[in-house]
Amino acid sequence: MTDDARAGLGRVGIWTFAYEGQPAGRVRESAAELEELGYGAIWHGEAFGRDTVGQAWLLLSATRRITVASGIANIAFRDPVAMATATRTLGEAFPGRYLLGLGGHRVDDTVHLVDGHPVPARGRALTTMRAYLDAMDTTPAHGPVPDPAPRRVLAALGPKMLELAAERTWGAHPYFVPVEHTSRARTLMGPDAFLGVEQAVVLDTDLGRAREVATAHVAGYVAMAPHQRANVRRLGFGDADVTGGPSRRLVDAIVAYGDAEAIRRRVREHLDAGADHVCLQVLTADPARLPEAQWRELASALVAPAPRRSPGGGGTARTVAAAVSRSGRWRCRRPCGSAARRGG
């Protein structure tokens, strides 16, 4: 990964599932605001909401500068040929701005249910991911091929997947990990591979209330995600931490909560441990609501506003001058229309 690419992605981004349940117009408005706030990337999850390719196109077309990253595109949801051709299309339409995160591999072939619907599996993690990358790399190109090609990262947790990420892709996008994992990942992958870490946060000065939200988040993954359980055990957490509800020690390791300064400290810890980029997943008591107030407050504490283009031109940022109204809603001083939503 080049120094220019690292600089373009920035040190801090936003990771969110919240766009899945929002109408397209709200997603466009919100993405435009995150760009104006100065975040370097928008990472979006994939479950049974929008297809990751469609979601990426929606976000890219609403912005001009910010990187849009899949966090992650589930390899069990689509054939590698479809993923390869879709990635080329996004890379051609929005040069240098799409980052493909691949994951969804399992620790075994167990089929899990979400809302009663089986989530497909493709087999053992390492061999499945290696074969998927091989298939993507050998897919013929009968259309335009972007240059440079869109970057790829893997949702890597264990040592072998981290090594594969460094060997075959740009690097790794670990999710649901403490700072200790970041340090180990950097050692395993070496100094050159990209390491973009998801960090769950609760921005709330009422620590008891914040801890409740954090505990619910950790409990869900410990209960339903065997690969996450295996990873925290690999990091030294035992039965007392993962059975009968997560321990306070595990919750505090996975989620940063409190005021903006507490979250800033956790980000700094990841960066000092070897992360190139930290993407913040803001947790609230209402996961269906966009945490816009928290995104704004964290931007003030952690990132510099994106540069705006001067009237005479130049620069790469959007020209839309925007403001937050007294009610806290995002507004543009002129329509956030086609100029703000064209890609490329």
Side-chain angles (χ1 to χ4, degrees):
M1 182 175 188
T2 66
D3 290 339
D4 286 348
R6 282 191 171 94
L9 193 63
R11 290 292 197 176
V12 179
I14 289 295
W15 196 106
T16 185
F17 259 128
Y19 286 151
E20 294 255 287
Q22 297 294 324
R26 286 288 293 116
V27 175
R28 291 189 187 100
E29 292 173 359
S30 176
E33 180 178 6
L34 289 178
E35 180 171 69
E36 287 289 334
L37 289 172
Y39 289 109
I42 302 172
W43 297 75
H44 55 96
E46 180 182 36
F48 287 100
R50 285 190 183 88
D51 165 77
T52 189
V53 178
Q55 187 77 288
W57 192 282
L58 182 62
L59 294 167
L60 286 161
S61 65
T63 54
R64 293 291 301 275
R65 171 197 58 82
I66 199 168
T67 296
V68 171
S70 58
I72 47 72
N74 194 320
I75 64 172
F77 285 8
R78 61 190 58 80
D79 186 89
V81 174
M83 191 75 259
T85 53
T87 302
R88 289 173 190 158
T89 302
L90 290 168
E92 180 206 357
F94 307 97
R97 294 183 53 217
Y98 180 57
L99 175 59
L100 173 63
L102 291 168
H105 39 273
R106 306 294 182 189
V107 294
D108 55 33
D109 290 327
T110 302
V111 176
H112 299 274
L113 298 179
V114 175
D115 296 338
H117 187 87
V119 177
R122 285 181 177 263
R124 299 290 294 182
L126 196 68
T127 54
T128 298
M129 183 58 77
R130 192 182 295 275
Y132 197 92
L133 293 171
D134 289 342
M136 285 189 68
D137 289 344
T138 56
T139 298
H142 292 175
V145 177
D147 183 18
R151 305 172 184 93
R152 299 184 305 201
V153 294
L154 300 185
L157 294 175
K160 291 182 179 179
M161 192 62 74
L162 287 165
E163 290 171 355
L164 180 65
E167 172 195 346
R168 293 290 304 273
T169 75
W170 229 23
H173 173 48
Y175 180 96
F176 196 81
V177 293
V179 173
E180 171 62 23
H181 184 274
T182 299
S183 179
R184 294 189 185 190
R186 176 51 69 202
T187 299
L188 278 166
M189 294 196 304
D192 297 328
F194 171 74
L195 183 55
V197 180
E198 177 270 347
Q199 174 62 61
V201 304
V202 184
L203 184 60
D204 191 338
T205 55
D206 184 327
L207 295 183
R209 185 170 58 200
R211 195 174 297 121
E212 288 181 5
V213 173
T215 300
H217 174 76
V218 175
Y221 280 96
V222 168
M224 296 185 295
H227 59 300
Q228 299 292 4
R229 280 201 306 274
N231 189 56
V232 297
R233 286 183 180 278
R234 193 161 42 231
L235 293 167
F237 294 93
D239 290 342
D241 297 298
V242 300
T243 58
S247 68
R248 169 77 177 276
R249 182 172 81 102
L250 179 58
V251 171
D252 287 0
I254 297 294
V255 183
Y257 56 88
D259 60 13
E261 177 58 24
I263 293 168
R264 189 198 66 78
R265 286 196 300 269
R266 181 67 63 88
V267 170
R268 173 47 57 190
E269 289 171 2
H270 278 295
L271 295 174
D272 288 346
D276 295 296
H277 175 86
V278 180
C279 43
L280 304 176
Q281 180 179 188
V282 175
L283 310 175
T284 68
D286 182 7
R289 179 182 60 83
L290 293 179
E292 293 170 308
Q294 291 90 339
W295 288 342
R296 293 168 190 145
E297 184 174 346
L298 289 171
S300 296
L302 294 171
V303 301
R308 291 186 173 88
R309 184 179 297 173
S310 65
T316 59
R318 298 190 313 116
T319 60
V320 178
V324 178
S325 70
R326 291 181 181 177
S327 64
R329 296 286 292 174
W330 170 256
R331 298 188 306 181
C332 290
R333 292 197 182 107
R334 65 175 176 83
C336 296
S338 59
R341 296 173 189 172
R342 286 197 298 268

